[in-house]
Amino acid sequence: MSCNDNSACGGCNARPDVLPNTHPHKDESLLRMERMPHIWCPGCGIGSVVTAFTEAVKRSGLDMDKVAVVSGIGCTGRVAGYVNFDSIHTTHGRAIPVATGLHLANPDLKVVVFSGDGDLTGIGGNHFIHAARRNMNLTVICVNNFTYGMTGGQVTPTTPGGANASTTPYGNYEYPFSLPFLADAAGATFIARWTSLHSRNITQSIEEALKHPGFSFVEVITPCTTLYLRRNRLGDGVDTLQYYQDNSILKHGADTRDTAIDFQGKMVVGKFVEKIKPTYLDAVNATCAKLIGDDYQLYGKTPPEKDAEKKAAEEKAAAEAAGATAGGAT
Amino acid sequence: MTYVTADPKGVDAGPHFLDGDHALAEGALAAGCRFFAGYPITPSTETAERFAERAPEVGALFIQMEDELASIAALVGAAWGGQKVMTVTSGPGFSLMMENIGLAVMTETPMVIANVQRGGPSTGLPTLTAQQDMMQVRFGSHGDYNIIALSPDSPQECFDLAVEAFNLSEFYRVPVFIMTDETVGHMHEKVVIPPADQIQVVERNNYSGPKEDCRPYNFNRQGGNPMVRAGDGYRFHITGLTHNEKGYPAMTPEQNVKVLTHLMEKIDGNAEHIIRLEESEVEDADVVVMSYGITSRIAIRAVQDARKLGLKVGALRLITVWPFCEKRVRELAPRVKAMIMVEINYGQMVRELERVVAGRCKVVSVNHCGGAVHDPQVILEAIKEAAQ
Ligand SMILES: Cc1ncc(C[n+]2csc(CCOP(=O)(O)OP(=O)(O)O)c2C)c(N)n1
Ligand code: SF4
Ligand SMILES: [Mg+2]
């Protein structure tokens, strides 16, 4: 299906050659079509990340009823409202702690956080490093457009030095975060970075991230056409994709200390970290099992388990009764 | 409200010698709370410590988050994940929770938040008692909203009201606050925990009907609307934005009226079912002494002393502080000479009393700032003066 809304959304027709299947309207089943048209600008990179995500969920083989999406506030924060999963649109910066609560309360779920660069690493930065430190079993996808999109293009913790933002009108003089390095230092066990040009790689990385036990982080550098590109005179979305093509350096396993991004400079992309260590919940369960015994179970037995147990007990009692009758007859 | 008996796993039945903070944790566990997220702060930390200690044997989860912003945010997630949830804090931590208290109100998320009050503002008096957050609990988050707040006057009541707080919270789908104070929090007394079959709890009411009829919201101005649990296949959406019954953003003035009226009225419209007061000798009184929390235990002494002097005085204790007992005050105001509000702050609930009395009797504030409980003599003097 091609998009039938009139929201001036150019995603379908922009460059089918560079944007294969990246338009969010193309994948109906995992989107809330009743909520279309979406709010994103023509050429905005968020939609392509959403498409990669829904594709990755399908490929992952996860039970879609057990996938939940949590987002904070911002243009990226609106993702939770468009995807057809259990979804929570929270407050600015708090997606990770809400997701933490959801995951810990209901460990059967695969909880995914969609967050903008400002949401995740500015106001919510503390939660990001602590969830990574705990190896909380969450998948965090960051749409990094180097700007506060929703509030009109202010500087963020990832805005490259020298870039123009509405609150750094004479150029950004702060040192930006490199998110893979930050995540690595904090303890994340899966880290990948791509640009929105790399739709297949994003899909692949998100699929791996979804299957990864522990804190998995996928950063996607994306164009904010309306604000960041315009203010910095970087052309349109297609020009940006060309920039991504020309300046991405694929380096799986790169040392995350070497992943800084200068203004319009080279960008190291790839899967940088993948390692296994006990998740937060693994550690809780191990500690409690040592204390309580091997049959320890968080929140006790689930209703189906209880039912199964009851049935087994009844069957056993019935069998014993039958045995007793048979015994009595001899 | 429909009750069931408590899950015995969380009930440590029998007589105990507990402080108020520990009793809060026991009340929560008895009520079926299985998820606690918190951050240490005096004088509330003991509740978190008790919960952390008891969690493994009950099969509950305790997590110490990175701050209070995270603690309350985690409760929102955990509640929609299907658990009964609680946090506890004091002054500065309570301030940090304000934004997401609004999220919980807006998304109609049940949770219990205890504030073991200490003197403020700012870091204030970390180890000393106060009742200075009584307006903050009602109005501290931005926007118009409504909540329920209870105030225990003993460790036993910390236990009892924790159970009640969960019941109200589950039914009305609203954050319920236990506004206790350092004195009650740290006071050790006998606490009798009844056997599980004598503890009445309101279970989480999860929607289980057909998918196409599933609505996380019903703006019918009532309690009792079902929650939807993540993972049950309904694919719900919730947001802090003004939303429709499906939970989708619907940002119009008309929808805001609909949502807000519901949020306000499900509490105010049911105030008579929610409010609990304890009265003694109010019927023939010329003067009514109103108080809550630890202050009630001093006020009652002053009232008894005044009675011995032949003064017609009654005591009215607010067990439920919010919603405020407007109806009762309207009944009493024209019949009495004066109503006295005793509280450990610069004068907070007395404003509410003045508003409702609206000049129909004298209103006297017997207040002092945080740090210590009242001297009963000061209350007695105020009673004598008011009775003239
Ligand atoms: C507590 C709070 N502070 C500020 C805001 C205003 N605000 C809304 S979105 C946003 C920036 C979002 O930027 P980012 O996370 O990068 O997302 P983007 O819009 O770029 O996708 C801000 C500052 C808010 N909603 N809440
Ligand atoms: S403002 Fe920027 S980030 Fe937001 S939708 Fe438009 S292009 Fe996308
Ligand atoms: Mg951004």
Side-chain angles (χ1 to χ4, degrees):
Chain A
M1 157 188 170
S2 76
C3 94
N4 57 3
D5 74 68
N6 298 315
S7 65
C9 168
C12 286
N13 308 318
R15 281 277 298 275
D17 49 334
V18 259
L19 282 168
N21 275 325
T22 56
H23 190 243
H25 295 195
K26 288 204 167 156
D27 186 0
E28 287 181 49
S29 62
L30 290 181
L31 296 175
R32 299 182 194 272
M33 294 310 289
E34 55 186 322
R35 290 223 53 230
M36 297 298 154
H38 56 68
I39 63 156
W40 297 313
C41 307
C44 173
I46 297 173
S48 52
V49 188
V50 175
T51 305
F53 165 66
T54 53
E55 185 57 31
V57 175
K58 280 189 203 159
R59 289 193 199 166
S60 71
L62 287 169
D63 176 350
M64 309 227 185
D65 285 342
K66 300 288 181 193
V67 175
V69 175
V70 181
S71 58
I73 299 289
C75 296
T76 310
R78 292 301 187 90
V79 168
Y82 295 126
V83 291
N84 194 12
F85 298 105
D86 287 328
S87 54
I88 308 184
H89 181 218
T90 67
T91 44
H92 194 24
R94 313 304 159 206
I96 286 187
V98 171
T100 298
L102 185 58
H103 154 62
L104 294 178
N106 200 331
D108 289 347
L109 300 174
K110 177 72 227 183
V111 183
V112 180
V113 169
F114 251 95
S115 195
D117 45 322
D119 194 53
L120 188 72
T121 70
I123 193 167
N126 198 31
H127 310 310
F128 179 65
I129 57 173
H130 286 284
R133 174 179 65 79
R134 295 181 178 116
N135 199 25
M136 196 61 72
N137 192 3
L138 300 173
T139 293
V140 176
I141 300 167
C142 179
V143 174
N144 184 1
N145 53 17
F146 304 133
T147 197
Y148 283 138
M150 180 148 275
T151 41
Q154 295 79 28
V155 70
T156 77
T158 63
T159 309
N164 198 295
S166 71
T167 46
T168 55
Y170 312 112
N172 177 25
Y173 32 71
E174 294 190 15
Y175 305 106
F177 273 142
S178 165
L179 300 186
F181 181 37
L182 179 66
D184 193 8
T189 46
F190 182 100
I191 302 170
R193 171 200 273 164
W194 301 102
T195 77
S196 59
L197 175 72
H198 301 95
S199 53
R200 278 194 206 91
N201 305 84
I202 307 170
T203 306
Q204 170 79 23
S205 276
I206 295 178
E207 185 187 343
E208 288 174 25
L210 291 169
K211 292 176 178 165
H212 176 81
F215 190 87
S216 53
F217 176 59
V218 180
E219 177 188 19
V220 185
I221 310 291
T222 56
C224 167
T225 40
T226 307
L227 301 161
Y228 186 78
L229 297 195
R230 192 175 291 173
R231 186 172 276 278
N232 286 287
R233 301 179 197 286
L234 298 176
D236 61 12
V238 177
D239 294 323
T240 298
L241 295 175
Q242 191 64 50
Y243 156 64
Y244 291 166
Q245 180 134 41
D246 297 343
N247 290 280
S248 299
I249 302 170
L250 177 67
K251 206 170 167 191
H252 290 304
D255 187 329
T256 56
R257 285 174 296 185
D258 304 329
T259 58
I261 300 175
D262 293 331
F263 183 60
Q264 290 300 96
K266 300 282 178 201
M267 287 174 293
V268 180
V269 298
K271 178 164 71 181
F272 306 137
V273 174
E274 189 174 21
K275 58 189 175 198
I276 297 293
K277 68 179 185 192
T279 67
Y280 176 87
L281 210 49
D282 290 340
V284 169
N285 286 332
T287 304
C288 292
K290 220 186 267 174
L291 202 68
I292 306 296
D294 284 341
D295 61 347
Y296 167 80
Q297 202 166 349
L298 179 62
Y299 308 126
K301 302 232 157 56
T302 60
E305 283 166 339
K306 277 186 194 160
D307 288 349
E309 227 170 53
K310 198 172 149 207
K311 206 173 147 207
E314 279 166 10
E315 275 166 11
K316 195 174 161 215
E320 271 167 15
T325 320
T330 53
Chain B
M1 280 197 244
T2 327
Y3 295 98
V4 299
T5 57
D7 172 4
K9 230 174 164 183
V11 181
D12 191 7
H16 300 260
F17 189 60
L18 295 179
D19 70 10
D21 283 359
H22 284 129
L24 282 176
E26 290 300 334
L29 288 165
C33 173
R34 295 292 178 267
F35 184 92
F36 188 112
Y39 189 83
I41 185 164
T42 305
S44 73
T45 311
E46 292 86 343
T47 307
E49 289 168 345
R50 180 82 171 198
F51 201 100
E53 193 182 335
R54 291 263 282 127
E57 67 196 45
V58 177
L61 193 119
F62 171 87
I63 181 167
Q64 181 174 314
M65 295 300 286
E66 50 274 20
D67 55 30
E68 289 86 348
L69 301 150
S71 302
I72 183 149
L75 297 196
V76 174
W80 287 90
Q83 300 298 332
K84 290 187 178 179
V85 300
M86 183 192 203
T87 189
V88 62
T89 190
S90 188
F94 201 49
S95 293
L96 284 185
M97 289 183 182
M98 284 300 143
E99 187 191 10
N100 284 308
I101 286 171
L103 178 67
V105 169
M106 190 58 148
T107 53
E108 300 190 52
T109 305
M111 60 175 63
V112 173
I113 302 163
N115 178 350
V116 187
Q117 294 171 89
R118 62 191 232 181
S122 190
T123 322
L125 298 168
T127 61
L128 300 178
T129 201
Q131 296 178 314
Q132 295 176 339
D133 307 339
M134 302 310 296
M135 286 290 161
Q136 186 186 20
V137 68
R138 174 66 185 78
F139 298 106
S141 193
H142 57 280
D144 285 320
Y145 67 101
N146 218 339
I147 49 86
I148 297 171
L150 313 174
S151 183
D153 73 349
S154 65
Q156 178 68 52
E157 214 174 51
C158 284
F159 176 88
D160 297 342
L161 292 190
V163 176
E164 181 156 338
F166 274 96
N167 290 348
L168 290 165
S169 175
E170 289 297 327
F171 185 75
Y172 290 103
R173 281 182 56 181
V174 73
V176 175
F177 297 84
I178 303 173
M179 298 300 288
T180 179
D181 51 74
E182 187 277 334
T183 315
V184 171
H186 285 165
M187 158 199 294
H188 279 79
E189 283 185 342
K190 186 175 176 185
V191 174
V192 180
I193 300 180
D197 60 9
Q198 288 170 31
I199 299 174
Q200 300 276 295
V201 303
V202 174
E203 291 261 82
R204 173 63 53 82
N205 173 11
N206 283 319
Y207 178 80
S208 59
K211 195 169 172 175
E212 57 280 11
D213 298 337
C214 179
R215 298 283 180 279
Y217 299 106
N218 180 355
F219 306 117
N220 62 355
R221 307 177 188 186
Q222 291 303 326
N225 294 322
M227 287 280 284
V228 188
R229 181 171 53 195
D232 282 0
Y234 292 109
R235 315 268 184 106
F236 68 80
H237 180 65
I238 57 165
T239 173
L241 292 167
T242 299
H243 46 266
N244 59 24
E245 297 192 339
K246 281 195 155 177
Y248 296 165
M251 293 172 279
T252 63
E254 298 74 37
Q255 191 62 24
N256 198 242
V257 170
K258 216 174 181 179
V259 173
L260 236 148
T261 315
H262 167 69
L263 296 179
M264 300 305 286
E265 282 303 310
K266 72 176 177 181
I267 308 300
D268 287 342
N270 289 297
E272 292 316 302
H273 304 298
I274 296 169
I275 292 173
R276 276 181 53 202
L277 306 172
E278 187 178 270
E279 297 187 3
S280 93
E281 304 190 87
V282 166
E283 282 317 315
D284 68 335
D286 291 333
V287 175
V288 172
V289 178
M290 202 179 265
S291 59
Y292 53 91
I294 186 59
T295 308
S296 312
R297 292 177 68 164
I298 292 111
I300 197 73
R301 161 84 189 275
V303 168
Q304 284 160 359
D305 289 350
R307 279 269 165 188
K308 279 183 208 145
L309 297 176
L311 299 173
K312 287 182 161 179
V313 197
L316 192 156
R317 178 164 81 92
L318 307 175
I319 298 171
T320 311
V321 182
W322 296 109
F324 186 67
C325 53
E326 296 191 13
K327 184 164 167 249
R328 187 62 180 138
V329 170
R330 284 206 186 91
E331 282 164 9
L332 292 172
R335 291 183 1 211
V336 301
K337 284 188 191 160
M339 296 185 85
I340 299 178
M341 179 66 81
V342 190
E343 51 187 343
I344 310 172
N345 55 46
Y346 211 79
Q348 296 196 4
M349 293 309 293
V350 70
R351 291 165 175 256
E352 191 67 357
L353 183 60
E354 277 168 347
R355 180 182 72 77
V356 180
V357 165
R360 280 170 293 191
C361 72
K362 208 160 40 164
V363 173
V364 180
S365 178
V366 181
N367 64 298
H368 64 234
C369 301
V373 296
H374 282 74
D375 177 349
Q377 195 60 34
V378 173
I379 306 171
L380 181 61
E381 292 307 320
I383 295 171
K384 282 191 205 161
E385 204 183 313
Q388 277 168 15

